[in-house]
Amino acid sequence: MQPGYHPQQPPQINNNMTMSIVAIFLFWPLAIPAIINASKVNPLLQQGDYAGAQAAATESRKWSKWALIIGIAWYVIVLLCCALGGLGAIMSDSSSS
């Protein structure tokens, strides 16, 4: 080893496990592939497969985002339906009195 030579550190890749776990509470069918891909990132990095680790992280991020988007949209729709249903019940009750 030469003096002043520092071995190059492997690039850090975010495995998106946190976002995948949050996504499982919103829309679990799409969060499962996100968690599976997120769990592949670190072992691939340890094996030196940086391209594979990056691909797994990208897939994890894609599935997590879709799960978050669909889950949040679903909750908004449910809340709107509940609010409009309650408002409709109040309006029909006050008009029948």
Side-chain angles (χ1 to χ4, degrees), residues 2-74:
Q2 298 174 354
Y5 175 76
H6 300 287
Q8 186 177 0
Q9 294 292 326
Q12 292 296 330
I13 298 175
N14 183 3
N15 62 7
N16 302 303
M17 185 60 81
T18 304
M19 188 164 62
S20 300
I21 291 172
V22 169
I24 206 160
F25 294 108
L26 294 174
F27 194 70
W28 67 266
L30 295 181
I32 290 173
I35 290 174
I36 290 170
N37 281 301
S39 66
K40 292 178 183 178
V41 174
N42 290 342
L44 288 171
L45 277 175
Q46 291 172 351
Q47 295 172 3
D49 184 5
Y50 303 116
Q54 185 62 51
T58 302
E59 282 293 306
S60 174
R61 188 170 33 259
K62 176 185 77 170
W63 288 110
S64 296
K65 283 183 181 180
W66 278 109
L68 291 172
I69 289 168
I70 291 171
I72 290 170
W74 177 253

